[in-house]
Structures are given as C-alpha cells and as structure tokens.
Amino acid sequence: MAIKTVSHALSDIGRVRKSNQDSGYSGYQLFFVADGMGGHAGGDIASALVSQRVAQIDGVFASPESAKKALVHTMQEANRALGQTVKDHSELAGLGTTFSGILFTDNQVNIAHIGDSRVYLQRDGELKQVTIDHTFVQRLVDLGRITPEEALTHPRRSVLMRVLGDIEEQPDIDAFTLDTKPGDRWLLCSDGLCGVVPENIMGGILNSHAQAEEACDLLVSEALEYGAPDNVTVVVVDVLAPNVESDFLPSAQYVGSAANEIVIDDHRGNRLLRIFNPRLLPDLLGLSQDPAAYQPESDEYLDYILSQTRAKIRNHRLRQLLVVLVLTLAGVGVLSLGYQYTQTRYYVGEFNGKIAVYQGIHESLGPIKFSHLYRETSIDVSALTPFQQAAIAQTIIATDYKDALREIAALTQVGG
Ligand code: CA
C-alpha cells in the first residue's frame, strides 16, 4: 500500500546554550535529527557535516535492505569525514554527534540510530520510543541494575557510549525496519526535548489534532516552558493514505546548525587564543552547562557509574531539597540559616584549569551563589582522561572536606 507524508522540522537554541549544536532535516523520504557535542566549536560542525552528507541519499529506494544499507554506509562515511576534519583541524578534537534517522520505503520505515537522540512512534494514541539510547545509564537499566526512574535523574545520564565522531573508526549503528500505516505519527527529537519534557506531555501534544508544523511548535514551546537547558530539535512526520488531500509540498528542510554553512576558523584557533576567548570563561571556571560527553564503551566505566548511582541520586535529591529549603527559608526571612547549612557541604570542581575543592553546593538562586572556592590543587584537569574531565565538569559532591580529598584521590586512580 502506498502512503504519503506530511512533515516539519524545528530547532531552537533553548534558553541556556550560546550556540545551537543540533541539526534536523525533513525531506522527501528521509527525516532525521543530529545532536552535536564536544569542543567549543566542534558540536555544531559535527552535526551539520553529518546532516549535509546523509541528506544526500534522500530518495526512493527499491527495498528496505537497500535503504538501510545506504543509511548505514553514508553514516560511516560521515564518521570518517569527521575523523578527517579533526586531522586537518586538531582544535576540533573530541567533536561528535548523535544521529537518529528514518527513511521511508513504501509503507516501511527504515531506522538508523546512534547516540541518545530518539525516534518515537505515536500509533492509536500510544507514544512508543522505538530507539534505545546508547548511554551508560540505559545500559544499567537494561541490565536491571537501576530503575528507569533513577536513570531519568542520574547525573551522568548524558554520557554516551556511541557517537559519530573522531574516535571510533567504525562505530556500531543500530539499523532496523518497522511497518507504518496511515494515521501513524513519527517523532524524532534531540534530548533537549525528551530529556526535558515528560513523555505524557509529548504524547498529549501528538495526540491533539495539531498538524505536523503546529505540533513541532507546541513541542518546542513546551521545552522552553520547562526552561530549555539544552538545544531542542524536533521532526514530526505524519503518515497519510495517498488519497487524503493535503496542500503540503515536500522539500529539503534543514534546521539548526545544518541550516548554516559550515565554517571552520582558520588555524587561529590555537590553544592560547582559545583559552582567552571570553566565551570560554564559564568552562574555565567549571561552570559549564554542557553535560554531554562521550566515553567509549567499557566495563570499568559502567562499574564506576553504577557505584556512584545511588549516592549521586541521593545527593541530587538532597541538592534539590536544599534549594527548596533555601527558597522556603527566604520566604520567612531566615535565608542566612539555609545558606549556613549549604556551607557545611563540599564538592570537587575546576578552577583555572586545576582540580579544586569548593565549599557549599553547586547551585545558585539568581545572582546568589551557594558555594565558593575552598582549596586549589596543582592537578591539571587537562592532564586527566576525558572521562575524568567530564566528572570534574559536572562536579563531584563530597560530604566534607576529607571526603572531597578522597574523591580527588579516587579520581586520579580511576583509569589514571
Ligand atoms: Ca543535546
């Protein structure tokens, strides 16, 4: 049975990030999202480069097998192109991107996926995630070691096991085929949507009679309502019977960084210049808002994440409770009491490129910060492995100063 599609793509920088590293594409047979990461200029280049390459295969394929093969092949090709880009521009090292795409062959949808962007199918009022996140916390959920609820709030939930980038020669890409029929509604999104807006709210929007374009608007608006801490990208594809009238005209629609030309700064981006870029100051001060990180698949890291899970989730909840407590206390005019309590806590972070211990909690209430630098160390963060750097960037909570020192000692041992 032949079908036709009505689709739309929308991408928003969100309320916190300074650049949009997501890309999205709504085309003729092909639809996808890509969420770039890494470096300070690399993420947008990675997602745009992969998007522009893969979009070139948008067209009619004779069979699901040939469609899947073409998708995976071009994604591997794009992966090699990223590696080559880093060879030519070493300042972009560590760049990467997720990719989740669907390619229609008649009434079949061929899915290719790597990373933690998602493909959902809304059918008969039910929203179902059809891709599996390639994250360490998802692996722990699959192994039954933590619950899906714990995964939702896990502080390391954005650490990816697989991406397209400059590290793996031949990354493992999921590829499979599902049937589709009129009435189906496909949603592709970056974690700026599904990591922020609860699934029942996403489902409610998709269940409404909003057309694809309006549904995209509503989904992105909802992410903005929820504070949009990350870039948000959505693609909605509605499947219609061929005889249903529609004035929609398919086109190749790029959104996010793929909508721009790829510009890589000349070799002025050397280390010294980059360090003095004022836009990088928040990162240098350990205030980076970007929790996305890539860590190759390894049992050691899985064990590490598991060992941290319960304590970290408790701490996460405690921190949230502390903020609520502080807000409440402020309401009755005894803010100082709450503040003093936060100052009994410590955490490990970064200061001027070195590991440092902070007193207080890594939260702020508008301009009021609840922590200050307590002790500097001489350990260079840049000398640590990417995984250790990711841990530092997200800060490590300690119960007291001694515990903070133990955390530093443990950290420099893990994989050291
Ligand atoms: Ca993201």
Side-chain angles (χ1 to χ4, degrees):
M1 179 182 65
I3 49 141
K4 69 178 182 183
T5 57
V6 171
S7 61
H8 192 73
L10 186 63
S11 186
D12 194 286
I13 191 169
R15 294 200 191 277
V16 174
R17 296 293 170 84
K18 293 187 182 65
S19 68
N20 191 349
Q21 306 202 328
D22 279 4
S23 292
Y25 176 80
S26 164
Y28 299 89
Q29 309 291 324
L30 177 67
F31 309 86
F32 61 73
V33 293
D35 177 352
M37 53 169 274
H40 296 293
D44 47 351
I45 290 168
S47 78
L49 192 147
V50 169
S51 296
Q52 292 178 9
R53 290 230 161 192
V54 182
Q56 287 171 16
I57 66 159
D58 189 359
V60 177
F61 284 82
S63 68
E65 286 66 36
S66 58
K68 264 185 301 196
K69 209 170 148 188
L71 259 180
V72 171
H73 178 78
T74 183
M75 285 166 71
Q76 295 288 8
E77 218 175 58
N79 184 72
R80 283 193 291 278
L82 290 178
Q84 189 56 47
T85 303
V86 170
K87 275 203 187 98
D88 298 340
H89 302 271
S90 58
E91 71 276 13
L92 296 176
L95 91 182
T97 184
T98 71
F99 184 96
S100 298
I102 61 176
L103 178 56
F104 283 78
T105 46
D106 200 6
N107 62 327
Q108 275 140 338
V109 165
N110 305 286
I111 297 153
H113 161 73
I114 186 165
D116 69 345
S117 299
R118 289 181 179 176
V119 178
Y120 286 93
L121 169 60
Q122 173 101 350
R123 175 178 285 174
D124 302 329
E126 291 267 336
L127 184 67
K128 200 172 148 225
Q129 183 185 341
V130 300
T131 48
I132 294 169
D133 296 346
H134 296 146
T135 57
F136 281 92
V137 293
Q138 180 60 45
R139 173 61 69 83
L140 290 177
V141 172
D142 295 344
L143 292 172
R145 307 293 291 274
I146 66 173
T147 67
E149 290 69 37
E150 285 174 325
L152 282 177
T153 53
H154 197 287
R156 305 270 189 269
R157 63 187 176 278
S158 295
V159 180
L160 299 172
M161 292 194 302
R162 298 190 227 160
V163 287
L164 301 178
D166 64 326
I167 296 168
E168 304 265 344
E169 289 262 318
Q170 189 119 14
D172 198 3
I173 294 165
D174 290 348
F176 52 97
T177 300
L178 295 173
D179 286 334
T180 193
K181 60 181 185 183
D184 282 353
R185 177 162 248 198
W186 294 85
L187 166 69
L188 295 82
C189 64
S190 63
D191 66 339
L193 178 75
C194 50
V196 175
V197 178
E199 271 181 15
N200 63 333
I201 292 182
M202 287 161 51
I205 290 171
L206 293 170
N207 250 337
S208 71
H209 293 289
Q211 298 290 300
E213 182 171 352
E214 195 192 342
C216 286
D217 283 341
L218 290 170
L219 289 166
V220 170
S221 304
E222 202 62 47
L224 291 168
E225 283 287 310
Y226 273 84
D230 197 358
N231 308 142
V232 195
T233 301
V234 298
V235 179
V236 171
V237 188
D238 285 326
V239 180
L240 309 179
N243 57 348
V244 174
E245 287 209 12
S246 155
D247 49 16
F248 174 76
L249 280 179
S251 66
Q253 182 201 2
Y254 290 92
V255 295
S257 63
N260 306 317
E261 261 184 88
I262 299 174
V263 179
I264 301 176
D265 275 346
D266 232 353
H267 266 291
R268 294 188 310 119
N270 62 53
R271 201 164 173 75
L272 221 61
L273 266 173
R274 287 179 63 212
I275 284 172
F276 288 108
N277 179 346
R279 272 178 59 187
L280 305 186
L281 265 178
D283 300 312
L284 294 174
L285 293 171
L287 302 174
S288 173
Q289 297 285 338
D290 187 356
Y294 169 69
Q295 178 69 24
E297 210 159 343
S298 77
D299 290 343
E300 287 79 14
Y301 193 74
L302 212 57
D303 288 344
Y304 176 75
I305 285 205
L306 184 62
S307 74
Q308 287 205 319
T309 300
R310 305 201 189 264
K312 292 297 171 189
I313 286 172
R314 266 200 308 279
N315 279 324
H316 186 78
R317 289 192 184 133
L318 180 64
R319 279 196 296 167
Q320 287 177 331
L321 268 175
L322 280 172
V323 172
V324 171
L325 179 71
V326 167
L327 278 168
T328 311
L329 292 177
V332 291
V334 282
L335 179 65
S336 67
L337 201 67
Y339 179 78
Q340 278 166 27
Y341 181 59
T342 66
Q343 299 308 297
T344 65
R345 320 293 300 182
Y346 292 81
Y347 65 88
V348 180
E350 180 181 349
F351 181 73
N352 273 347
K354 312 273 190 198
I355 297 181
V357 179
Y358 288 81
Q359 188 174 30
I361 58 169
H362 187 52
E363 301 282 2
S364 56
L365 201 61
I368 308 166
K369 287 206 164 55
F370 296 114
S371 66
H372 61 269
L373 183 65
Y374 187 68
R375 288 283 185 282
E376 293 177 59
T377 74
S378 57
I379 307 167
D380 275 317
V381 173
S382 60
L384 302 176
T385 67
F387 137 59
Q388 291 165 335
Q389 292 185 26
I392 291 283
Q394 291 174 55
T395 76
I396 300 164
I397 298 153
T399 48
D400 54 33
Y401 179 55
K402 272 188 184 162
D403 189 40
L405 294 181
R406 274 196 297 274
E407 285 281 7
I408 292 174
L411 187 80
T412 48
Q413 277 159 19
V414 176

